[in-house]
Each structure stands twice: as C-alpha cells, then as structure tokens.
Amino acid sequence: MATSSSAIRTLDKSGNEITTVGFTRFGFDSEVPIDVLRSLYLRAHYVTTASSSDTKEEHLEEQALHAQFSKGHVAYQSKSIYHPETQSISYTTLSRFPPVKLLAPSKRKRVLVTGGAGFVGSHLVDRLMVLGHEVTVLDNFFTGSKTTVSHWVGHPNFELVRHDVVEPFMIECDQIYHLACPASPPHYQFNAVKTIKTSFMGTLNMLGLAKRTKARFLISSTSEVYGDPEVHPQPEDYWGHVNPIGPRACYDEGKRVAETLAYGFHRQDGVDIRVARIFNTYGPRMNPFDGRVVSNFIVQALRGEDMTVYGDGTQTRSFQYIHDLVDGLIALMNSDETRPVNIGNGDEFTIGEFAELVRDIVENVQREDGEEPRRVNIVYKPMPTDDPQKRRPDTTRAKQVLDWEPRWTVRMGLEEMVRYYKAKMAEGGI
Ligand code: NAD
Ligand code: UDP
C-alpha cells in the first residue's frame, strides 16, 4: 500500500529537489508549491465504488493513496461514488477550494486565457488562480474539457465561458494569453479549414480585444513555424521551411499568419504583444487519445499494447515538461520582450530512443507500485507526410532576456505523467 511517507520526490536537472515551481521575474511572483498543483491534477477527482468506501480500513487506504499524490491536500479533491449494482455514479463537487493568495488590488491582474480548458491552458489557469489573480477561461471545448478546470468553477476569482474565438468577445482584462487552437496533428487536421479560421479570425478577434482594452497580449505560437528545419537547433531569427499546401499547413501557416497579425497590430496600433514559440510539451491532462507521441507511447505501454514508432524512428524531438513551459509563458508575459521567444527543452531524442525511455519508465513505475511489468514491443508504422526530421530549440534568447531555462528532466516529467495516466486508468478514464 502506498503511504504518505512515500510521497513523490522530484529532482531537477542539477539534482536538487523540486518543491516549488515558478519564481519572481519582472516584479511578478509565479512561485507555488508543487504539491498544491499536484493535488489538482494527479488525482483531482477520483471515483470510488460504494462498497470500497464501506470499511474504515479501506477508506484509510484510499486516503493514503491520495496523500502520496498531494501531501495532505486531499480536502481539495472531489470524490464520486460509483454504485456497481445500479451502474450509476454520484458526482460530488469540492467542499473547499484550494487556497489562493490574497493579493492587493494593485497586484491582482484580470487575466483572460483563451483555450484555458486545454492541456497547457489548464495548468496556466491553476498557477494564476493559486497566485491570486482573476481568471476568465474562454473555450469551445473542441479538444479541451470542462473537467480540466472544473475544480475552480464557482470560485469568486474564476469564470468559465463556452465561446468560440472565431466570434468576437468583449471583456475587460489586463492580460490575454491566447492559446485557443488545437495542437495535436490528428486534431488540427480533423478540420483544416476550421484550424486556419481559429488561427486567423480567433487571433484577429483577440488582438482587437487587446487593442480596445490595452491589455497585454501573448500568443502561443509554435516550433512548427520553422517547418521541417534546415537549421539546427532552431533560433528565433530562422524563417523556417514550411510546405504551404501539405497536411500540416493549416496549423503551421495558421500560426505564421497569427504571428504576422500580432506584429501588424503591434506596429500599427501599438498593441503590447508577446510571442512564445513553444516546442513539444507534455504533461498530465494531455488528452490520452490526442495522437501525440508522448500520450500515445505511455498509454500503449500501460495497456500492454505495441508502441507505434512512425518511420524508422530516427526523426528527433525535444520534450519540455508543462511546469517549465508555464514558468516561461508567465516570465515572457511580464517581461518587456516583444520579439518571438523559443520556449522548449533542449534535451533531444530520436523517436526510437524515446520509445525505449518511455517503456523503461512505465516498467519502473509499475514495479514501484508492486506490479509485474510485461515488456511491450516497439513496432514501426509509416511516416506521416511532412513530418519534420529534427527539432530542437535554441533557447539562448529565453535565457538572456527571461533568465529562464528548463528545470525538469524528461525522465522526471515522464514519471509524473505515467502516474497521472495510471490514476486515470484506475478511475476508468482511459
Ligand atoms: P489543447 O488542444 O489541449 O488545447 C487547446 C484548447 O483550445 C482546447 O481547450 C480547445 O478546446 C480550445 N480551442 C480550440 N479551438 C478553439 C476555438 N475556435 N475557440 C475557443 N477555444 C478553442 O492543446 P495544447 O497543447 O494545450 O496547446 C495550447 C496552445 O499551445 C495551442 O495554441 C498550441 O498551438 C500551442 N502549442 C502547444 C504545444 C504543445 O506541445 N502542447 C506546442 C506548440 C504550441
Ligand atoms: N510519432 C510516433 N508515434 C506515435 C505518434 C507520433 O512515432 O504514436 C512521431 C511523429 O511521427 C513525430 C514525433 O513522434 O515524428 C512527434 O509527434 P507529435 O504528433 O507528438 O508532435 P509533432 O510532430 O507535432 O512534433
């Protein structure tokens, strides 16, 4: 049985234990304890069967399992009761919201996060909420889900609005994080025209809002603006190598024109813009079925299925953990840097190596949990069209102007993500 004494210990790239994420940069404090965040995603909500909560002993065992994930923050997790005999479930909500900082009104920002119910957005929302800011999430739930932020619904500092950014939206705010856009290749290719519309019209509408409110505007651009790069690693002044008519173009060109729009509003209208070029990022709350490599590999390994490497597996990617990205986004938003800034982790893997690493980590976590791992096979599938051969960020600019660099090792991040997906599986969510 897992106990609170076996709470998760995470070491950063220098071997120091990570107990908090964030920092103070440019007068903005983004530091919060990692345990509080974990309590919101590792097992923010869990399902127990009516019979298992009957005996005190089993109840205590369950509490201990939760303590492992969240060091005593169990009160901020909701528990639903499953009744097997009637195949029904009684949902509960939180009895208590996680504590948020009390900020002086002059320090408290009104922040709009478009796409805030998605993977990246929901972690940014958690951070901004715990820090004591007022957060409005705008999302059409195309790839995101209400459940990623449901633990804040009803909180006085929080508002969730179902809205499609291709339509204008009016609100008063100080900062806009514009993240709304599907990010995984199967999702953005599902309706290519809609992806371009979201990138262009959504960004146009949100920049119009920033112009009217004089809010600072940050767009989540992507390493995809570099396409299949001829320069390696990719610095911000590389213009890219993008196929304008291929299956990835709706996303790549969409983000390129979104950046162009942002600089148009900046030069013509003085809109205060920030451009984050995000490289492959992974972490809990990534949709397990979004087709991206990290989610595919972990889910396949946990289910004991073949892991699917596309092509010969020699193409490379570098993977960044979600908390490093949120640190970088907040630092960029509050800095004076209006040029594009790469935010990513330079640890580069071939996809073949990465499959082996994920398999190894899944087996270790299974062993730690007292399970007998079953070695899965790595199989090779055809390479998708226009799949970039290599990708690694040059993050010199982020280091110089934001004093930011990634802290999480890929292994530490993957371990946490495996635990998250394991918990989801135990709840029947995968
Ligand atoms: P995600 O798919 O989990 O989240 C995107 C969110 O935007 C979802 O909640 C979705 O419902 C919402 N959305 C999509 N279209 C919308 C519309 N028209 N109106 C309102 N909401 C809409 O993806 P993510 O990984 O969280 O990515 C967030 C942002 O970061 C995206 O802009 C993406 O391009 C960028 N990015 C992510 C990565 C990564 O590795 N995760 C890499 C580069 C860039
Ligand atoms: N990939 C893979 N197996 C999978 C999913 C993806 O080998 O099950 C490969 C994919 O072809 C690409 C890399 O992993 O080379 C990263 O893919 P992902 O979709 O995560 O992101 P992107 O291509 O946008 O970087």
Side-chain angles (χ1 to χ4, degrees):
M1 184 186 81
T3 64
S4 52
S5 60
S6 64
I8 300 163
R9 265 188 98 229
T10 306
L11 303 182
D12 68 12
K13 288 190 175 196
S14 325
N16 300 318
E17 185 170 0
I18 296 179
T19 54
T20 63
V21 291
F23 37 57
T24 299
R25 293 271 191 290
F26 315 111
F28 192 99
D29 175 13
S30 65
E31 187 166 353
V32 305
I34 185 71
D35 296 331
V36 171
L37 295 177
R38 279 187 178 137
S39 74
L40 302 177
Y41 59 76
L42 274 183
R43 281 200 120 186
H45 176 98
Y46 62 101
V47 180
T48 180
T49 50
S51 55
S52 76
S53 58
D54 281 353
T55 69
K56 195 165 176 230
E57 203 175 89
E58 278 164 340
H59 183 69
L60 287 176
E61 199 169 312
E62 210 153 56
Q63 292 275 334
L65 183 64
H66 286 277
Q68 180 204 17
F69 290 117
S70 51
K71 276 197 190 154
H73 297 286
V74 181
Y76 319 128
Q77 297 172 323
S78 58
K79 181 170 73 173
S80 297
I81 317 279
Y82 174 62
H83 306 273
E85 64 291 350
T86 51
Q87 280 202 356
S88 59
I89 185 162
S90 19
Y91 288 105
T92 57
T93 52
L94 283 178
S95 54
R96 216 167 358 135
F97 288 107
V100 300
K101 256 190 197 156
L102 262 184
L103 288 181
S106 59
K107 291 253 171 194
R108 197 162 59 220
K109 304 271 186 217
R110 295 165 304 173
V111 188
L112 175 67
V113 183
T114 77
F119 157 55
V120 175
S122 63
H123 287 278
L124 178 64
V125 167
D126 281 351
R127 188 81 74 91
L128 293 169
M129 283 297 296
V130 173
L131 290 167
H133 299 283
E134 289 175 28
V135 179
T136 302
V137 164
L138 212 62
D139 205 294
N140 70 350
F141 305 125
F142 171 47
T143 52
S145 152
K146 224 161 133 180
T147 56
T148 60
V149 288
S150 55
H151 45 280
W152 295 115
V153 170
H155 192 287
N157 290 357
F158 183 76
E159 207 174 337
L160 175 62
V161 184
R162 182 191 289 263
H163 181 85
D164 196 308
V165 291
V166 304
E167 305 293 340
F169 184 74
M170 298 291 170
I171 191 174
E172 299 307 316
C173 56
D174 305 310
Q175 295 187 337
I176 302 171
Y177 288 89
H178 178 47
L179 312 184
C181 183
S184 85
H187 283 152
Y188 68 65
Q189 288 170 22
F190 172 75
N191 184 341
V193 174
K194 178 66 198 252
T195 300
I196 305 169
K197 257 175 105 174
T198 296
S199 295
F200 181 73
M201 292 172 66
T203 307
L204 182 70
N205 286 329
M206 293 306 117
L207 279 162
L209 177 66
K211 180 179 164 188
R212 182 179 66 77
T213 55
K214 300 197 170 21
R216 189 173 281 179
F217 177 92
L218 181 147
I219 182 158
S220 57
S221 186
T222 167
S223 51
E224 295 278 327
V225 298
Y226 303 122
D228 192 1
E230 302 137 308
V231 172
H232 194 69
Q234 295 80 53
E236 288 87 349
D237 53 13
Y238 173 53
W239 290 352
H241 180 227
V242 174
N243 174 359
I245 56 168
R248 298 173 81 105
C250 57
Y251 183 72
D252 301 7
E253 297 289 17
K255 290 286 186 181
R256 286 168 70 95
V257 81
E259 285 195 13
T260 312
L261 263 178
Y263 285 102
F265 272 81
H266 178 61
R267 292 193 189 106
Q268 266 174 249
D269 302 300
V271 173
D272 195 12
I273 58 155
R274 304 288 180 269
V275 177
R277 291 192 180 146
I278 304 172
F279 282 66
N280 295 60
T281 306
Y282 68 98
R285 300 211 188 105
M286 243 174 131
N287 181 332
F289 306 110
D290 71 4
R292 284 186 264 193
V293 69
V294 185
S295 38
N296 271 11
F297 282 177
I298 298 179
V299 171
Q300 288 164 343
L302 280 173
R303 284 176 155 176
E305 293 168 0
D306 292 347
M307 296 170 78
T308 53
V309 170
Y310 301 157
D312 61 5
T314 55
Q315 73 272 35
T316 72
R317 293 292 186 276
S318 47
F319 297 96
Q320 147 174 259
Y321 196 52
I322 184 64
H323 297 309
D324 281 331
L325 171 60
V326 172
D327 286 351
L329 291 178
I330 294 179
L332 177 60
M333 173 63 104
N334 294 287
S335 75
D336 289 331
E337 184 56 65
T338 53
R339 294 173 301 171
V341 180
N342 287 341
I343 303 189
N345 186 334
D347 300 343
E348 186 178 0
F349 296 84
T350 68
I351 295 301
E353 283 165 359
F354 191 65
E356 284 172 26
L357 177 69
V358 171
R359 182 168 67 178
D360 186 45
I361 290 171
V362 168
E363 287 177 1
N364 279 347
V365 173
Q366 286 173 329
R367 259 182 233 112
E368 275 173 25
D369 290 353
E371 297 160 24
E372 190 51 50
R374 193 167 65 81
R375 174 139 287 221
V376 297
N377 295 320
I378 295 175
V379 299
Y380 294 83
K381 300 269 176 185
M383 186 74 153
T385 312
D386 289 345
D387 200 288
Q389 262 309 309
K390 50 190 177 305
R391 191 183 290 149
R392 172 155 63 95
D394 177 337
T395 51
T396 313
R397 183 174 290 172
K399 172 91 180 103
Q400 278 170 355
V401 299
L402 307 180
D403 189 18
W404 171 92
E405 46 186 354
R407 289 171 68 205
W408 289 68
T409 63
V410 172
R411 178 172 275 276
M412 285 297 172
L414 283 173
E415 277 183 24
E416 192 164 288
M417 191 158 167
V418 170
R419 289 201 173 92
Y420 167 80
Y421 276 160
K422 273 197 90 195
K424 283 272 149 212
M425 276 182 159
E427 292 169 11
I430 296 182

